[in-house]
Amino acid sequence: MASSSSSRLLFLLACSVLALLAGAEVHHHEFIVQETPVKRLCKTHNVITVNGQLPGPTLEVREGDTVVINVVNHAQYNVTIHWHGIRQFRTGWADGPEFVTQCPIKPGGSYKYRFTIEGQEGTLWWHAHSSWLRATVYGALIIRPRENKTYPFEKPAREVPLILGEWWDADPIQVIREAQRTGAAPNISDAYTINGQPGDLYNCSKEGRKSLTLVCVFYQPVCVRQCVANLQRHDNMHAETTAVPVKPGETALLRFINAALNQELFVSIAQHKMTVVGVDASYTKPFTTSVLMIAPGQTTDVLVTMDQAPTRYYLAARAYDSAQGVAFDNTTTTAVIEYDCGCATDFGPSIPPAFPVLPAFNDTNTATAFAAGIRSPHEVKIPGPVDENLFFTVGVGLFNCEPGQQCGGPNNTRFTASMNNISFVFPQTTSLLHAHYYGIPGVFTTDFPAYPPVQFDYTAQNVPRYLWQPVPATKLYKLKFGSVVQIVLQDTSIVSPENHPIHIHGYDFYILAEGFGNFDPKKDAKKFNYVDPPQRNTVAVPTNGWAVIRFVADNPGVWLMHCHLDVHITWGLAMAFLVEDGYGKLETLEAPPVDLPMC
């Protein structure tokens, strides 16, 4: 044991020396997962947090840095942490999805996530990947360029992470457990949040005025003191609102993250234009817009020049909801852009902030136009030729209720969801990666279908009922190392068509095209963008439509692909790729860490 420990210490020291020689750093953090009393909407709930913070700590690194995060579970639930968008080259054991790359960290346990950030710059985030703990366990992960390297745009005067979330006036874990028990859809959230705060438009105004808890996002201590003093004088500013202090004429980089569990969101700032410069830790060709549509899992970096009269302006977000007849949280969350914070200006209680124009909740045209504006900054070399041409349907379905049971879905059914008619079942006794690495039989099969088992009119208004019930199974699709993979993601109208944000772990991909209706390979292939398609890790598949993505399977391991609406992954809208090892050490999955949690 002593010899093994010494060898491991020498290895870690060697890695540290190499990192320092390369100008990179090794960042060490400790995340304490714990129950914390949090007051929102006039009520206090004990929720699960990291280090007692909501949102959790922001991680700030540079490209090339290594991160070591010791996660200690002091909560009552199992937990894992996913570093959303991090490629995890050969370090799949650190990816985090429960029962996919690891068994959960049990109450009282701990696990050190270790990974190096390679070839990525911009905004990512981290979140729990166990049940619905993601409702309150999340935070920003900011990747800046290496030393002596700059942004591909003028350096902003300030950078502000703005995390969009959802808040339940209840325990989110109990909300989903009740839905799983009955088979019904879970209760919708009670509020959206920006940096953990719901904003001015919710109830509690009177109580809020008595105990102002307005939050200033800041970097200069003098600025925040003045900001708080100013805001306390503004009686019309309610409790639970995030404020962003700015100065006239400066340009701020706002890093938006949609951490909401189940809702795509429109975002706008009153009287200000936003120039998109990055998505999902990839730079983009700059384009200016008055509204963003950000799906859960996605990030969007925008530059905003503070060129309006020096007063206050609302930043607001509300739902983009594409599913017909499905309940959703139709509230609006707000933050405040506060000009001249740090000066003596007092705008007075009689001047409310200006409010932005937001699209209607079902404005698919605006969502589509925004997605169409995102392009890579330069011409890219699209991988090819295609080795794996895949076609995956995505959508919701229904399971028949067990005889004698009462279920909460339509006509006494249970809600489910699937890809290619397979409703994914997560193992419970080991992780998929562990079973693959050690050759444990009976945990999964590798016969996930490359095409739908039954081809039909996917976007028809009346899909035959026999297609509504998928098959529950744990099926993976095997890929050879280095193969070029193209996937058509096709929404279906079973139960209801809907925009589905599909996320692939371990990979970025190019979005070659998107469209509506059934994908036609002859007609729609002509629409492919082979010049400057956007690179992302999460694609919002259009409602009643399709998206085509392409990537190279150059990262060995088991990688989950799933809808980032958490209710849908709970119902089984997921699958996983098993990417085989290539040749040599640099194309081979690393051995599992010694502290990897066991089931």
Side-chain angles (χ1 to χ4, degrees):
M1 289 295 292
S3 176
S4 175
S5 299
S6 299
S7 298
R8 183 166 185 78
L9 179 60
L10 288 171
F11 173 76
L12 291 174
L13 287 172
C15 288
S16 299
V17 170
L18 288 172
L20 288 171
L21 290 174
E25 294 185 34
V26 179
H27 301 261
H28 292 268
H29 298 274
E30 185 160 74
F31 278 14
I32 306 298
V33 180
Q34 62 189 47
E35 194 172 87
T36 303
V38 175
K39 187 175 183 180
R40 297 290 186 273
L41 307 181
C42 293
K43 294 181 182 177
T44 299
H45 293 280
N46 286 329
V47 302
I48 307 303
T49 67
V50 168
N51 297 350
Q53 302 174 37
L54 179 65
T58 294
L59 302 180
E60 299 187 47
V61 299
R62 292 186 180 275
E63 193 270 321
D65 287 354
T66 295
V67 182
V68 181
I69 302 172
N70 186 37
V71 177
V72 182
N73 188 5
H74 288 172
Q76 59 179 313
Y77 303 115
N78 291 339
V79 70
T80 65
I81 303 293
H82 170 50
W83 317 95
H84 186 109
I86 295 294
R87 286 292 315 273
Q88 299 289 358
F89 286 107
R90 302 178 57 237
T91 54
W93 307 103
D95 190 44
E98 185 178 53
F99 295 116
V100 177
T101 60
Q102 67 168 99
C103 293
I105 307 169
K106 298 175 183 178
S110 66
Y111 176 45
K112 279 187 179 178
Y113 292 90
R114 307 166 179 86
F115 54 88
T116 298
I117 298 164
E118 301 177 51
Q120 295 180 285
E121 294 178 16
T123 304
L124 294 176
W125 62 301
W126 58 266
H127 60 81
H129 214 298
S130 183
S131 185
W132 271 22
L133 287 181
R134 183 166 76 80
T136 53
V137 179
Y138 60 82
L141 200 171
I142 310 302
I143 307 169
R144 293 193 173 85
R146 290 176 181 261
E147 289 282 1
N148 302 319
K149 187 180 175 184
T150 62
Y151 295 131
F153 44 81
E154 187 175 345
K155 185 178 180 181
R158 69 184 70 226
E159 302 180 21
V160 182
L162 293 167
I163 310 180
L164 311 171
E166 271 183 286
W167 175 263
W168 274 260
D169 201 7
D171 181 351
I173 301 298
Q174 298 308 316
V175 170
I176 189 57
R177 285 182 176 177
E178 176 65 11
Q180 290 174 304
R181 184 184 68 81
T182 65
N187 291 341
I188 62 173
S189 56
D190 296 285
Y192 300 114
T193 59
I194 301 174
N195 285 357
Q197 303 293 344
D200 285 359
L201 304 185
Y202 295 91
N203 293 330
C204 303
S205 298
K206 292 182 180 178
E207 181 174 334
R209 289 190 181 105
K210 293 177 182 177
S211 57
L212 192 68
T213 60
L214 205 145
V215 178
C216 289
V217 179
F218 64 96
Y219 289 93
Q220 299 89 359
V222 173
C223 183
V224 74
R225 286 196 296 271
Q226 186 62 55
C227 184
V228 171
N230 279 350
L231 295 172
Q232 285 175 338
R233 291 198 297 270
H234 302 332
D235 189 53
N236 64 309
M237 299 298 291
H238 303 168
E240 305 184 337
T241 302
T242 292
V244 181
V246 299
K247 293 183 178 180
E250 73 178 15
T251 297
L253 175 61
L254 305 183
R255 300 177 179 270
F256 286 99
I257 299 165
N258 189 348
L261 251 69
N262 296 314
Q263 197 61 63
E264 287 123 339
L265 293 165
F266 287 123
V267 182
S268 188
I269 305 174
Q271 300 179 26
H272 289 74
K273 295 290 187 178
M274 296 174 283
T275 299
V276 177
V277 293
V279 295
D280 295 0
S282 292
Y283 293 119
T284 66
K285 194 167 289 170
F287 80 97
T288 301
T289 179
S290 60
V291 62
L292 315 174
M293 198 292 280
I294 313 177
Q298 293 182 331
T299 72
T300 304
D301 293 345
V302 301
L303 294 173
V304 181
T305 299
M306 304 305 163
D307 54 4
Q308 299 300 302
T311 180
R312 291 171 296 157
Y313 299 87
Y314 274 124
L315 183 162
R318 73 178 180 198
Y320 165 53
D321 194 82
S322 57
Q324 299 177 4
V326 176
F328 68 98
D329 182 347
N330 197 21
T331 63
T332 302
T333 181
T334 57
V336 175
I337 303 295
E338 173 89 0
Y339 271 69
D340 264 344
C341 180
C343 303
T345 304
D346 186 348
F347 307 117
S350 63
I351 306 176
F355 203 87
V357 176
L358 284 162
F361 74 88
N362 58 355
D363 190 345
T364 293
N365 288 338
T366 294
T368 302
F370 176 73
I374 300 173
R375 293 284 185 268
S376 288
H378 309 291
E379 185 172 345
V380 297
K381 184 178 180 181
I382 307 300
V386 174
D387 301 301
E388 297 279 356
N389 217 323
L390 309 177
F391 189 106
F392 291 174
T393 56
V394 297
V396 178
L398 299 171
F399 279 141
N400 292 330
C401 199
E402 295 290 334
Q405 199 179 24
Q406 289 295 315
C407 295
N411 301 316
N412 198 35
T413 58
R414 301 180 64 86
F415 279 106
T416 184
S418 66
M419 287 188 178
N420 276 0
N421 205 46
I422 305 297
S423 185
F424 194 77
V425 177
F426 289 84
Q428 297 296 310
T429 58
T430 188
S431 74
L432 296 172
L433 188 58
H434 187 267
H436 161 60
Y437 190 83
Y438 290 103
I440 301 172
V443 178
F444 62 84
T445 60
T446 55
D447 57 346
F448 186 87
Y451 297 91
V454 178
Q455 296 184 27
F456 59 98
D457 186 349
Y458 307 114
T459 57
Q461 290 186 349
N462 296 301
V463 177
R465 285 281 172 166
Y466 71 88
L467 294 170
W468 287 44
Q469 183 155 319
V471 177
T474 310
K475 294 179 181 290
L476 279 59
Y477 192 91
K478 187 179 289 188
L479 295 171
K480 290 184 178 180
F481 185 95
S483 58
V484 176
V485 184
Q486 180 170 294
I487 311 173
V488 176
L489 296 164
Q490 173 72 60
D491 184 33
T492 69
S493 57
I494 296 174
V495 180
S496 175
E498 187 171 357
N499 187 298
H500 293 279
I502 302 298
H503 170 52
I504 303 183
H505 290 230
Y507 288 93
D508 290 329
F509 48 77
Y510 290 109
I511 305 174
L512 298 185
E514 297 180 14
F516 293 96
N518 296 326
F519 177 77
D520 183 332
K522 292 182 179 179
K523 179 183 69 176
D524 292 327
K526 298 176 183 177
K527 303 175 184 176
F528 286 9
N529 178 2
Y530 290 116
V531 178
D532 58 355
Q535 183 171 259
R536 305 205 70 153
N537 62 56
T538 304
V539 56
V541 179
T543 180
N544 245 344
W546 50 267
V548 180
I549 64 174
R550 191 181 292 188
F551 63 95
V552 179
D554 58 359
N555 195 8
V558 176
W559 304 106
L560 188 66
M561 181 169 83
H562 65 94
C563 182
H564 223 277
L565 305 179
D566 267 28
V567 62
H568 289 177
I569 188 176
T570 302
W571 290 341
L573 210 169
M575 59 82 64
F577 290 108
L578 194 166
V579 181
E580 298 176 318
D581 286 341
Y583 298 98
K585 181 179 179 181
L586 296 181
E587 296 181 0
T588 301
L589 176 70
E590 291 183 358
V594 294
D595 62 339
L596 185 72
M598 295 290 105
C599 291

